[in-house]
Amino acid sequence: MQKLVVGALLLSVFSGCVSESDMRGKAFLFPQESATAYVSLIPQVKKPLQNFTLCLKAFSDLTRSYSLFSYNTRTQDNEVLLFVNKVGEYSLYVGNKIVTFKVPPKPYDPAHICVSWESASGIVEFWMDDKPVGRKGLRKGYTVGAEAKIILGQEQDSFGGRFDARQSFVGEIWDVSLWDHVVPLKEMHDWYYSGNLINWQNLIYKENGYVVTKTKLWV
Ligand SMILES: *[C@@H]1O[C@H](CO)[C@@H](O)[C@H](O)[C@H]1NC(C)=O
Ligand SMILES: [Ca+2]
């Protein structure tokens, strides 16, 4: 399995499109609305997930809905999807089922979001700016599929495609991490970049369309 992943990675590196870098201090900018600009993230390990924790920081002044993190498998749309319905209203999908959390709107600050999901209980725990927002449940007993396309900037309606400009992200995203377990979010600041599936310190990714990497504006 590991060998296959490394092999696939090497193939893509040789074909000149995959980057691997320490992104600390940097952000991806999505400067324009489009259905073509996105970043594919390649996980360090591909495995089915019974638990996960996803953290990211983002700034956008969009008031329409948009995707922050879109993880699709061949057989399941919205396998994992972090989606903003409108300012202050966030949804997490697991296996195409949805829970929604409301936070007081603060449209001109970056959002620092962490969300975890545990299959055994189905519990989703949602944190905003280092404070807990709440816990709700979905997809108890479910397993998230391993072979995924993981995309920032666009919302997938198929495996790696079917984007809609009206759900695209316009703004900046940084410090994206994904773990294969439930991280105690109270202690998150201690090990923020250490995602064992997606690690901002050692990010393997591919940019498509109009995406710009810049020094981040916010901490
Ligand atoms: C998922 O987390 C639960 C604890 O909540 C643990 O018992 C279980 O072993 C974990 N599953 C995997 C595959 O790590
Ligand atoms: Ca979708």
Side-chain angles (χ1 to χ4, degrees), residues 72 77-78 81 155-157:
N72 266 26
D77 183 30
N78 309 334
L81 171 64
E155 203 281 303
Q156 308 173 72
D157 281 339

Side-chain angles (χ1 to χ4, degrees), residues 52-54 82 92 113-117 124-127 185:
F52 68 79
T53 304
L54 168 68
L82 181 60
L92 182 77
I113 298 163
C114 282
V115 62
S116 65
W117 174 76
V124 173
E125 189 173 312
F126 193 91
W127 287 60
L185 293 173

Side-chain angles (χ1 to χ4, degrees), residues 15 21 23 41 60 69 78 92 98 120 139 154-155 182-183 190 204:
S15 67
S21 52
M23 290 289 287
L41 302 180
S60 176
F69 181 94
N78 309 334
L92 182 77
I98 181 173
R139 281 298 205 180
Q154 300 289 337
E155 203 281 303
V182 172
V183 173
D190 295 339
I204 308 167

Side-chain angles (χ1 to χ4, degrees), residues 66-85:
Y66 58 93
S67 172
L68 281 170
F69 181 94
S70 171
Y71 178 120
N72 266 26
T73 61
R74 276 178 209 285
T75 52
Q76 186 62 73
D77 183 30
N78 309 334
E79 181 71 316
V80 178
L81 171 64
L82 181 60
F83 193 76
V84 183
N85 303 313

